[in-house]
Amino acid sequence: MQLADLLAHPTPLPSSPRLLALLLTELKQWQPDLRRIDQFIKADPVLTLRVLQAANEPSLGLSGQVNSASEALALLHLDQLQAMVSRAIGQASFKVGAGLPLAQFWGYSQDCARVARALAGLLQYNQQAAYVTGLIHALGELTLRAALPQVAELDESCPPLDLNRAFVERQDFGFCYLDVSSALARQAQLPQILCDALAYADAPFDNDACEPLAGVMHLAQWRARANQLGLQKNALTVTFPSLVAEMLGLDIDMVLQQDPIDWSSQVGGRVVATAPT
C-alpha cells in the first residue's frame, strides 16, 4: 500500500473513553469551565487534532495559523465541541492489538508532548506548537496498525515504541508513522511548522527546510521512548542523539534536566491517560 492509498481511506482514531466522559460532563454544565475543557482536550491526541482541524477551516479565515488547542477553543462554539466529543465516543472501540495498548499510547504521547514543550521553552521556540507536535506525532502509528495488518508483525523484532521504529517501518513499507502523522496534519490544514516538524522528526537536519522544531521532536521522542523501554543511565548515554542535540546547542544533561515528568512513578511502562499539567 502506498501512503496516498492509506490516506484515501481514513481510519477513525480513538480518544480516551475516560477523558471523553469527563469532557462531555463538563460541556453539559450550565457554565462549562473553559480551563478544564482546554486541559482535557490537550490530554488527547485525536481530540487535539480534530479541534485544530476545525479551527483551521478556511471559513474562519485562519487556515494554517492556529497551532494550539487554547487558540482553537477561542474560535469554536461549545456545541461544535460537544458534537466532536459525541462522534469520538462512537469510535472508542478502536483496537490496535496487543503490541501497543491504548493506555500506553496515550501516556507516551502526553510524555512526549511535555518534554517537547519543556525543550522548546529552553530554546525559546514556540512551546504550544512543540506540545501539539509531541502529542499528535504518533497518530500515524495507530493509522498504520489499523490499515496494515503486517505492521503488527514488526512488533516482535521492533516494538512500536522502539527507538528504531521509524527506520524499520520505512524499510518495510516505504514510509513510517511520522510520514502518516505529517500527512494527517496537512489534511487537517495545520500550520506548516507542525507539518514540517512531524515530517522531519526522525532526521531533523537532513532537509532543506531545517526546521528546529523537528530537532526538538527528535529529542522528545528519544526521551519518552527511552522511558517506555526502561533505559538506564548507560543505555541513555549510548542512545542519546548527540548530533541532533549539538545542532540545537544542547547536551544530554541539559535534555534530561528538562524532564517535566516523574518517570519513577510509571512502573513497567504502564501509564494512564490523564489531563496534563
Side-chain angles (χ1 to χ4, degrees):
M1 179 182 287
Q2 300 296 314
L3 179 57
D5 298 326
L6 185 71
L7 297 171
H9 301 88
T11 301
L13 298 174
S15 295
S16 164
R18 176 178 177 274
L19 284 175
L20 290 176
L22 290 170
L23 185 52
L24 190 59
T25 298
E26 189 61 45
L27 286 168
K28 289 183 176 179
Q29 298 297 314
W30 181 61
Q31 287 187 316
D33 186 330
L34 293 180
R35 181 177 178 276
R36 284 174 59 81
I37 291 172
D38 179 54
Q39 287 181 326
F40 290 143
I41 290 174
K42 288 193 297 188
D44 189 275
V46 175
L47 280 178
T48 294
L49 178 66
R50 296 308 171 214
V51 165
L52 287 172
Q53 181 176 18
N56 280 288
E57 283 286 340
S59 60
L60 295 181
L62 292 173
S63 180
Q65 299 181 50
V66 182
N67 61 24
S68 76
S70 300
E71 292 174 346
L73 288 177
L75 297 170
L76 303 177
H77 298 292
L78 292 181
D79 56 348
Q80 290 177 272
L81 295 177
Q82 191 162 336
M84 286 184 202
V85 174
S86 297
R87 287 195 298 270
I89 289 174
Q91 298 168 359
S93 60
F94 181 98
K95 304 295 182 185
V96 296
L100 183 59
L102 281 173
Q104 183 182 18
F105 172 82
W106 290 317
Y108 161 74
S109 298
Q110 290 175 16
D111 288 349
C112 191
R114 291 185 181 113
V115 174
R117 179 174 59 192
L119 289 172
L122 177 66
L123 296 167
Q124 299 185 340
Y125 295 157
N126 188 320
Q127 290 181 271
Q128 292 184 323
Y131 183 90
V132 167
T133 307
L135 189 67
I136 70 173
H137 82 279
L139 285 177
E141 187 66 38
L142 295 189
T143 302
L144 282 172
R145 297 174 81 82
L148 298 175
Q150 57 267 43
V151 170
E153 297 173 7
L154 295 179
D155 293 349
E156 201 167 317
S157 58
C158 183
L161 297 182
D162 191 88
L163 298 173
N164 294 317
R165 184 71 181 202
F167 174 78
V168 172
E169 287 181 351
R170 277 214 178 101
Q171 275 195 321
D172 281 29
F173 309 122
F175 53 88
C176 72
Y177 68 91
L178 289 167
D179 299 316
V180 179
S181 297
S182 180
L184 291 174
R186 287 195 300 273
Q187 282 187 335
Q189 302 184 78
L190 268 56
Q192 192 64 41
I193 186 176
L194 301 184
C195 299
D196 286 346
L198 291 167
Y200 304 121
D202 61 329
F205 300 112
D206 288 353
N207 64 88
D208 294 335
C210 194
E211 172 52 59
L213 190 58
V216 169
M217 267 305 306
H218 190 86
L219 295 174
Q221 281 194 96
W222 166 79
R223 186 64 189 102
R225 288 176 184 246
N227 176 64
Q228 291 290 329
L229 297 170
L231 301 188
Q232 300 303 310
K233 184 175 181 180
N234 289 342
L236 288 173
T237 302
V238 170
T239 60
F240 179 64
S242 56
L243 292 178
V244 172
E246 184 179 351
M247 291 291 290
L248 293 173
L250 302 174
D251 58 34
I252 188 169
D253 291 330
M254 296 171 71
V255 172
L256 295 179
Q257 286 169 7
Q258 299 307 307
D259 281 352
I261 304 151
D262 180 8
W263 304 106
S264 63
S265 67
Q266 301 181 15
V267 181
R270 299 187 65 182
V271 292
V272 179
T274 56
T277 56

